[in-house]
Amino acid sequence: MADRDLNQYRVEVSRSEDGISAGVRRFVVQLEERMTVLDALFQIQREHDETLSFRCACRVGMCGTCAMSINGVPGLACKTRPKELGKGVLRLAPLPHLPVIRDLVVSLDPFFKQWKEVLPAFRPADANAKTPAVIPASSEFAQAIPRKRDCITCGACFAACGVKATSGEYLGPAALNRAFLRILDPRDGAKKERVERINAERSGVWRCHTQFNCGAVCPKKINLTDTITRLKRGLLFPGRLMR
Amino acid sequence: MKPVLHWYLQRVTGALLLFLLIAHFWVEHFASEELLRGGLSYEAIRGRISQPLWQGIDIAFLIVALYHGLSGVRNIVLDYSFIGPLAARIVTAVLIVVGGVWAWWGIEAFRNL
Ligand code: SF4
Ligand code: FES
């Protein structure tokens, strides 16, 4: 222990059970420089309070299950280092705009309900094709989208969106990004339906007010506002989705 | 009207407003000869806005500002889930009436110069 450089943090965790707030509990943890918020939570669970609830799976920023509000900003607990936040205090709370199950665990049902709205699965234009539909790496589609494909459905963008705070219907940035990828795919057979859904006035792209919160918190650095703006432009000038 | 047109007109009127607002403030408060001479009066303003060109510019300013502002209010209203489809339609109708009355009121002012 003595040869390790430890930093002390005060962690304030919003607790709740069955949707009823149980206030904020404070803990003190000792973390090494490279340790993450998730490490702090495990330390609390091990040493202070084994009833503390939070979610995680991959611990390397791949699965999206550990998203929570960290000092007021949605992010992944396993990718956020307290050291980089620069303060001795960590305020942890469940993701906003989603129903809380317990402590830091939220239900992502509203997020996935909107995700399903845009028909996220690939629907081939030619369902009876004998050969696989290939997207050449040099094609405009393949070149335009690499980063936009990286979504891990963590819900951080959904929680950061100011419009989601008031609108249950709004599809949200991640679902719209998914729709964008599908609509852009030259093999897609359900363009018309998807376009209808993203074009709906109360739930589609028109609810986005270009606040940029979504892209700012996305752990995969997807420029979601750019996606939504391209969709709007594509609806105004069909054929200009890529530019 | 299609939502895409609302969105497009909101942008177009926003860009026009930027130009018209600056022009308005400049002409009203900084570039008026009478004002510079310290003698800005109702007569001086009436003299300017009696000219068809200025009437055209001011009426365009009025319509552009009304569309931009009221469409913006509607956009905010549509962000709230508790406002159902019927309430949203009523709000839209009220805003159209408000816009129409305000536009008529402003244009009428020029006829009574
Ligand atoms: S777009 Fe980014 S922030 Fe939103 S769900 Fe996907 S990975 Fe998370
Ligand atoms: S635990 Fe998988 S992304 Fe954090």
Side-chain angles (χ1 to χ4, degrees), chain A residues 119-140:
Chain A
L119 314 173
F122 174 58
R123 300 202 175 183
D126 180 3
N128 301 316
K130 295 276 180 295
T131 50
V134 177
I135 295 284
S138 57
S139 69
E140 196 180 7

Side-chain angles (χ1 to χ4, degrees), chain B residues 56-100:
Chain B
I57 291 173
D58 282 347
I59 290 172
F61 187 20
L62 174 70
I63 290 168
V64 161
L66 277 174
Y67 182 86
H68 191 81
L70 297 175
S71 167
V73 170
R74 180 172 175 273
N75 228 349
I76 294 167
V77 166
L78 295 184
D79 283 348
Y80 287 84
S81 280
F82 70 85
I83 297 170
L86 178 65
R89 241 176 276 148
I90 293 171
V91 169
T92 304
V94 169
L95 291 173
I96 290 172
V97 171
V98 168

Side-chain angles (χ1 to χ4, degrees), chain A residues 169-240:
Chain A
E169 301 103 307
Y170 178 42
L171 292 167
L176 289 171
N177 185 65
R178 183 67 166 195
F180 175 75
L181 293 173
R182 290 285 170 251
I183 292 168
L184 218 55
D185 191 331
R187 305 163 301 173
D188 184 40
K191 252 185 212 24
K192 199 165 162 275
E193 271 173 281
R194 291 189 231 275
V195 167
E196 259 167 37
R197 294 180 188 205
I198 62 152
N199 193 18
E201 191 164 34
R202 295 298 292 268
S203 55
V205 288
W206 311 114
R207 294 278 54 76
C208 171
H209 300 316
T210 340
Q211 292 174 349
F212 287 94
N213 291 358
C214 48
V217 301
C218 175
K220 293 292 159 187
K221 307 258 179 295
I222 303 173
N223 188 342
L224 296 152
T225 312
D226 166 77
T227 300
I228 300 171
T229 305
R230 283 172 191 239
L231 284 171
K232 287 176 178 172
R233 223 181 290 147
L235 288 165
L236 182 64
F237 305 111
R240 277 195 53 192

Side-chain angles (χ1 to χ4, degrees), chain A residues 77-96:
Chain A
C78 71
K79 291 299 278 181
T80 309
R81 289 187 186 155
K83 178 90 183 151
E84 284 163 12
L85 298 177
K87 287 189 217 151
V89 182
L90 282 176
R91 279 179 287 111
L92 306 181
L95 283 180

Side-chain angles (χ1 to χ4, degrees), chain A residues 3-241:
Chain A
D3 53 341
R4 286 190 307 176
D5 206 3
L6 294 175
N7 294 303
Q8 182 169 300
Y9 292 90
R10 198 173 82 223
V11 188
E12 301 177 355
V13 187
S14 298
R15 308 291 305 265
S16 66
E17 190 153 4
D18 296 330
I20 299 165
S21 168
V24 173
R25 285 276 324 264
R26 290 175 181 80
F27 306 93
V28 173
V29 294
Q30 311 280 340
L31 300 177
E32 284 180 56
E33 192 170 330
R34 285 163 51 86
M35 283 180 157
T36 64
V37 170
L38 192 59
D39 293 317
L41 288 168
F42 275 118
Q43 200 177 108
I44 294 171
Q45 212 181 41
R46 253 191 337 260
E47 297 172 11
H48 302 282
D49 184 348
E50 62 186 16
T51 67
L52 176 67
S53 299
F54 55 91
R55 270 205 195 111
C56 71
C58 71
R59 302 200 196 182
V60 288
M62 275 172 57
C63 69
T65 50
C66 66
M68 61 184 66
S69 167
I70 303 167
N71 288 355
V73 181
L76 297 182
C78 71
K79 291 299 278 181
T80 309
R81 289 187 186 155
K83 178 90 183 151
E84 284 163 12
L85 298 177
K87 287 189 217 151
V89 182
L90 282 176
R91 279 179 287 111
L92 306 181
L95 283 180
H97 315 155
L98 291 161
V100 181
I101 297 173
R102 193 189 148 110
D103 298 341
L104 302 170
V105 181
V106 293
S107 162
L108 282 170
D109 285 353
F111 173 85
F112 282 110
K113 183 174 167 282
Q114 306 303 66
W115 180 263
K116 284 185 198 143
E117 269 297 303
V118 301
L119 314 173
F122 174 58
R123 300 202 175 183
D126 180 3
N128 301 316
K130 295 276 180 295
T131 50
V134 177
I135 295 284
S138 57
S139 69
E140 196 180 7
F141 172 59
Q143 302 269 323
I145 56 156
R147 179 145 267 177
K148 293 193 194 290
R149 271 191 314 226
D150 290 350
C151 176
I152 54 173
T153 58
C154 67
C157 54
F158 195 88
C161 173
V163 178
K164 278 311 303 176
T166 58
S167 170
E169 301 103 307
Y170 178 42
L171 292 167
L176 289 171
N177 185 65
R178 183 67 166 195
F180 175 75
L181 293 173
R182 290 285 170 251
I183 292 168
L184 218 55
D185 191 331
R187 305 163 301 173
D188 184 40
K191 252 185 212 24
K192 199 165 162 275
E193 271 173 281
R194 291 189 231 275
V195 167
E196 259 167 37
R197 294 180 188 205
I198 62 152
N199 193 18
E201 191 164 34
R202 295 298 292 268
S203 55
V205 288
W206 311 114
R207 294 278 54 76
C208 171
H209 300 316
T210 340
Q211 292 174 349
F212 287 94
N213 291 358
C214 48
V217 301
C218 175
K220 293 292 159 187
K221 307 258 179 295
I222 303 173
N223 188 342
L224 296 152
T225 312
D226 166 77
T227 300
I228 300 171
T229 305
R230 283 172 191 239
L231 284 171
K232 287 176 178 172
R233 223 181 290 147
L235 288 165
L236 182 64
F237 305 111
R240 277 195 53 192
L241 215 51

